[in-house]
Amino acid sequence: MRFPSKENICAVVITYNPAHVLLEEIESIIQQVAEVIIVDNGSSDKSILNLVSGKFPAVQIIRNSENAGIAAALNKGIDAAINKSHSWILQLDQDSVPEHDLVNELCRCIAMFNNENLAMAGCNYYINGKAHPYVSDQHYKKVMTLITSGSLLSAEAYQKNGGYREDFFIDAVDFEYSLRLKKAGFHSIITTKPLLHHSIGSIRTVNFGLFKLQSTNHSSLRRYYRARNTMLLTRKYFSTFPMWIIKYNFFLFVSSLLILLLEKDKVSKIKAIFKGLKEGITQK
């Protein structure tokens, strides 16, 4: 395994109608890697991308004519990075702002882990300003799955295991890939230090006395893919990773209840979930 360093890492950023925070993200990451590639998924509003082109002319922008989904965009960006002989790919969402030492910390943890079957190293992160807890007395810990954003992916592991499942489109794309890597004998690790500012949905919080409930307010389309892809994951990986699959299905159940309690447009979202469940169970 070739260890990562600034000289052999390419950042791949996926965008779709990005906000102004993308400029801050590129400003931070361009100092930490050899090259940055943006794959835009058919944005109708190109104003921010035009600002990026003007401020960072070295950044390559691949423009898809339509929204092909996060998986297809990732595959296109990773393939472009590998074609340019990069050994590692730093994967980023459009609204994930990295700390200045993100890449150095990821490289340090990979060197400490020192295993030729390491496929991905992700980072602990802040979710909407709050640090996500990964308790460990080490700088890193082994994990079953990683979110895509903020993770370093080995080009060698990607070539051996294939790309992301494009039929998943958006939800659970990263989890399916993590489980596939694990099943093939590859490892994933995560830093215990939070190194990325990440946002998830449009969080709504409601207080019920001593209890606080939160929901992400994702669209009906996202709810459909979450339900459908959960069923596809269950069918493919339950026999290998039963406890993980049970836990993931439980989260789907809880999130569905939270829609009824906290969100607007309940009927269309619940219908989308049932449609996703049906198609995930019956799809061949």
Side-chain angles (χ1 to χ4, degrees), residues 193-260:
K193 179 181 179 181
L195 298 166
L196 191 77
H197 296 269
H198 190 64
S199 59
I200 299 178
S202 177
I203 300 292
R204 184 188 177 198
T205 303
V206 175
N207 292 314
F208 289 95
L210 298 175
F211 300 99
K212 180 186 293 185
L213 298 178
Q214 291 185 327
S215 193
T216 57
N217 281 289
H218 284 314
S219 67
S220 295
L221 183 65
R222 287 291 300 274
R223 297 298 184 183
Y224 161 78
Y225 275 111
R226 171 73 185 276
R228 169 185 172 272
N229 294 348
T230 297
M231 292 302 99
L232 294 178
L233 285 177
T234 300
R235 291 171 58 184
K236 184 171 183 179
Y237 294 109
F238 181 77
S239 61
T240 311
F241 308 113
M243 294 309 299
W244 190 96
I245 292 296
I246 290 170
K247 182 179 178 181
Y248 197 66
N249 275 269
F250 176 73
F251 286 151
L252 175 65
F253 173 73
V254 171
S255 67
S256 301
L257 288 180
L258 290 173
I259 291 173
L260 295 173

Side-chain angles (χ1 to χ4, degrees), residues 7-23:
E7 292 71 27
N8 64 14
I9 297 173
C10 178
V12 171
V13 185
I14 310 303
T15 62
Y16 179 71
N17 294 325
H20 204 272
V21 70
L22 180 64
L23 290 167

Side-chain angles (χ1 to χ4, degrees), residues 4-5 8-14 33 35 37 74-83 85-92 103 106 110 119-121 148-159 164:
S5 64
N8 64 14
I9 297 173
C10 178
V12 171
V13 185
I14 310 303
V33 297
E35 189 170 3
I37 296 174
L74 280 167
N75 288 339
K76 182 174 285 190
I78 293 167
D79 288 341
I82 291 174
N83 286 337
S85 301
H86 294 291
S87 301
W88 292 82
I89 297 89
L90 178 65
Q91 305 168 103
L92 290 165
V103 171
L106 287 172
I110 290 172
M120 276 201 293
T148 305
S149 195
S151 65
L152 261 182
L153 171 64
S154 160
E156 181 180 350
Y158 175 85
Q159 290 172 311
Y164 289 93

Side-chain angles (χ1 to χ4, degrees), residues 110 113 115 117-122 140-147 151-153 174 177-182 185-191:
I110 290 172
F113 187 67
N115 188 301
N117 283 332
L118 177 70
M120 276 201 293
Y140 67 88
K141 64 181 295 186
K142 287 179 66 175
V143 290
M144 180 82 76
T145 59
L146 289 169
I147 66 168
S151 65
L152 261 182
L153 171 64
D174 42 12
Y177 201 71
S178 295
L179 294 176
R180 195 190 327 159
L181 290 171
K182 182 72 174 177
F186 286 84
H187 302 296
S188 298
I189 62 173
I190 192 167
T191 67

